[in-house]
Amino acid sequence: MNPLPMLRNQRDWQSLAYLVAQPSLMYWQWRHGWQPLLFGLSLLLAIGISIIHHNHAHLPLWRGRRANRATDLWITLLQGHPTCVFHPAHNRNHHRHRHGPSDCSRTWRFGDHNHLLGWLLHPLLAVVAVYPLVWQWLRSLRRRAPRVWRWYLLQYLAWLGSWCLLLAMDPGKALLLVIVPQLFGLHWLLGANYLQHAHADDRGHLAYARNFEGASNLIWFNIGLHTAHHEHARAHWSHLPALHARYRAAIPARLLEPGLSGYITRVFLLAPWVPRLRSHSLRGHRPDRNLSSPYMDRKDC
């Protein structure tokens, strides 16, 4: 019997643990001073919070509306950005267009490359490209759904208000212990798009995303199994390994990686010095019938 009947999936005890552990680490260091090991753990948890943010936007943690709204606000405070932006920027954009020409956050919009500088800069470029969609969506909500707009405005006020309060209490602690981990998590949240799609091919069947099959999935909610997630966006993250096994044989071998750390080491750190390790774009292949896509003829974002 599920001890929390409102929780959608019992595996989300892991999500709840992260949502409690992260502010606990911040509070402890605020009271007792910066600790390098705890700060490192806080950075790892910040990545986890960003993934929980992503998962909650696709499939809310709870079955009840009030619990989900409370979680929206809690993630907003921990993430350092409103949860509401995921719908226009990610669900309505990235998942709808699957890294194709109409996807405003597609990696090849900024150059069809796959290297360390591209990954570091992608979150900044993606924000500039995607946020006009967010503002347009919020403006439309203000006209047609003012109650929803006010709810999203509350998220912005909660985020900015929390930063102002913490900075007023102690600017140094606020920046180091709260805002830096939040920005680190946000960078990984946006940079994951680069890891998962750079040099993939939006025109090919199941060739639009890279998959990471290593141990990072255990601590980061199977986020590496990206093709299965795209094909089943509303599936709970605990179901992704079984779904990934269903699609694995049809995914191009170059888009199957045994682990995240090995991939980053090989492609971002070693490849500049060892040419044979460099990534090559699947989009560079000559398109044919097997690489056709309904997204190819859409107007560019």
Side-chain angles (χ1 to χ4, degrees):
M1 182 177 179
N2 193 337
L4 273 180
M6 293 177 62
L7 197 62
R8 191 177 297 275
N9 189 297
Q10 198 167 11
R11 289 288 301 276
D12 274 318
W13 277 105
Q14 182 179 349
S15 304
L16 296 181
Y18 284 31
L19 292 173
V20 172
Q22 178 71 325
S24 298
L25 284 177
M26 292 176 174
Y27 176 76
W28 195 95
Q29 291 180 94
W30 190 291
R31 291 292 304 273
H32 302 286
W34 180 81
Q35 297 290 330
L37 291 179
L38 294 183
F39 185 73
L41 181 57
S42 182
L43 295 180
L44 292 177
L45 285 171
I47 300 174
I49 297 298
S50 72
I51 298 169
I52 294 168
H53 181 182
H54 166 270
N55 295 342
H56 181 65
H58 279 287
L59 185 69
L61 267 69
W62 308 91
R63 297 188 183 279
R65 181 183 179 187
R66 290 184 179 179
N68 282 321
R69 285 205 163 188
T71 303
D72 287 342
L73 282 178
W74 190 238
I75 293 176
T76 291
L77 294 173
L78 294 182
Q79 179 75 92
H81 202 273
T83 59
C84 64
V85 302
F86 238 104
H87 186 63
H90 186 73
N91 295 355
R92 287 166 52 95
N93 171 56
H94 179 60
H95 270 264
R96 176 176 294 178
H97 303 305
R98 295 190 180 187
H99 201 235
S102 294
D103 182 352
C104 291
S105 61
R106 64 193 184 277
T107 61
W108 52 273
R109 176 178 186 169
F110 315 112
D112 194 12
H113 47 65
N114 187 15
H115 48 62
L116 179 61
L117 182 61
W119 172 64
L120 292 174
L121 292 179
H122 180 78
L124 304 177
L125 298 172
V127 165
V128 174
V130 166
Y131 234 92
L133 292 179
V134 176
W135 292 131
Q136 180 182 3
W137 180 67
L138 289 173
R139 284 196 299 269
S140 69
L141 283 178
R142 188 175 185 180
R143 294 191 302 270
R144 60 185 175 85
R147 292 183 62 183
V148 177
W149 178 81
R150 287 194 293 270
W151 163 240
Y152 292 151
L153 178 62
L154 177 61
Q155 293 183 20
Y156 275 94
L157 293 175
W159 159 44
L160 295 174
S162 68
W163 275 18
C164 291
L165 176 62
L166 293 172
L167 287 169
M169 292 171 61
D170 191 314
K173 289 181 179 179
L175 285 170
L176 177 62
L177 302 177
V178 179
I179 296 177
V180 166
Q182 288 177 339
L183 294 177
F184 181 79
L186 284 169
H187 185 279
W188 272 89
L189 177 65
L190 296 169
N193 186 60
Y194 192 88
L195 294 171
Q196 293 160 337
H197 293 284
H199 276 179
D201 190 351
D202 58 283
R203 303 165 299 177
H205 177 60
L206 301 184
Y208 54 80
R210 181 174 291 103
N211 295 266
F212 300 96
E213 301 177 320
S216 60
N217 289 308
L218 298 177
I219 61 172
W220 288 330
F221 308 95
N222 294 321
I223 194 64
L225 308 180
H226 202 56
T227 300
H229 169 62
H230 265 281
E231 295 296 316
H232 302 273
R234 291 278 295 176
H236 191 265
W237 59 266
S238 63
H239 299 157
L240 292 180
L243 292 170
H244 174 69
R246 183 189 305 176
Y247 295 107
R248 192 180 190 280
I251 299 172
R254 285 172 53 186
L255 297 177
L256 294 170
E257 291 288 338
L260 176 61
S261 59
Y263 171 81
I264 290 176
T265 300
R266 185 182 80 249
V267 175
F268 291 168
L269 302 181
L270 298 180
W273 316 105
V274 185
R276 65 181 178 84
L277 298 180
R278 291 174 186 170
S279 175
H280 299 283
S281 177
L282 290 177
R283 298 194 93 255
H285 292 181
R286 189 172 183 176
D288 55 29
R289 290 184 179 181
N290 293 328
L291 292 179
S292 63
S293 167
Y295 308 113
M296 290 182 65
D297 298 326
R298 289 181 180 271
K299 185 178 178 181
D300 193 5
C301 177

